[in-house]
Amino acid sequence: MNFNNKLLIFFQKKYGKKISINSKLFIDLGLDSFELVNLINEIEKKFNKKYKPLKFIDFEKINIERFSKLFK
C-alpha cells in the first residue's frame, strides 16, 4: 500500500469523515494551523517520515495527495 492510501486511511480513522484523496485538508477536515502542526508531528512518528515543506505552500488549496508528497 502506498503512502497516499495509508495517509487517507489514517485521516478517515482520526476524523471519522468520508474523504477522498482529493479532499482539501483545511476545508473538508476543518483543520487549523495548530492542529496541522500536531498532525505533522503525529504522522512523522507513526509512519517514520520526515516533513520537508516547500518554500511556498497554499494551504487552502492543498489536498491529501499533495500533502503526502511533502513527506520523505
Side-chain angles (χ1 to χ4, degrees), residues 31-70:
L31 293 178
D32 62 0
S33 58
F34 183 72
E35 276 186 72
L36 180 67
V37 172
N38 288 334
L39 184 66
I40 289 171
N41 189 19
E42 189 174 344
I43 291 170
E44 284 181 335
K45 288 179 183 177
K46 182 172 179 112
F47 297 108
N48 294 326
K49 300 271 188 177
K50 282 303 273 182
Y51 178 68
K52 302 285 183 177
L54 301 173
K55 290 182 180 178
F56 177 76
I57 301 170
D58 188 8
F59 281 107
E60 291 179 358
K61 297 180 182 175
I62 195 164
N63 59 17
I64 294 173
E65 184 177 11
R66 288 184 189 159
F67 184 68
S68 69
K69 291 180 182 177
L70 299 177

